[in-house]
Amino acid sequence: MNLKIALPLIFATISGSALADGAYVLGQVTHSSLSLDNTNFDNALSVGGVTGLSSNNTGSGNQWRLQVGYKFNPYFAVEAGYMDLGTANYSATFAGGTANATEKAGGLDFAALGILPVTDTLSVFGKVGFVAAKVKTDL
């Protein structure tokens, strides 16, 4: 899992409906395949003298995000929230034992939106922001 502490995000999207000015809440649930690069864990075990190593990894595949936003006027809004980027698991068996690792990632995100109303019910917006993410590894 590869994350950066300050990751710029730039999106251009078409919104199906224009939000009224004021506060709003966003939620997102996604599913994807998560995996770890076994190389780092395998190398650490091999350096420690492990023989007969066999390893694999799996991930939860479920990520979610919850944000609150505030639309100041028809042209500008800000959003902030928390995102859970999922969990990936590593397991290994070798002569004389086993090893397990878990990596969990998540963090805060902040964004500013520039909005261009096209019609009363359609807007185009650009979103720029950053994510302050943390990856926790247990081995």
Side-chain angles (χ1 to χ4, degrees), residues 7 14 22 38 47 52 58 63-64 67 75-77 86 92-93 115 119 124-125 135-136:
L7 175 67
I14 296 177
N38 288 6
V47 167
T58 60
Q63 298 87 34
W64 59 270
Q67 293 180 297
Y75 308 103
F76 181 73
T93 57
I115 305 164
T119 68
V124 177
F125 66 89
V135 177
K136 180 180 178 190

Side-chain angles (χ1 to χ4, degrees), residues 7 9 36 41 43 54 79 93 122 133:
L7 175 67
L9 300 175
L36 297 170
F41 293 116
N43 287 343
S54 174
E79 296 175 351
T93 57
L122 180 69

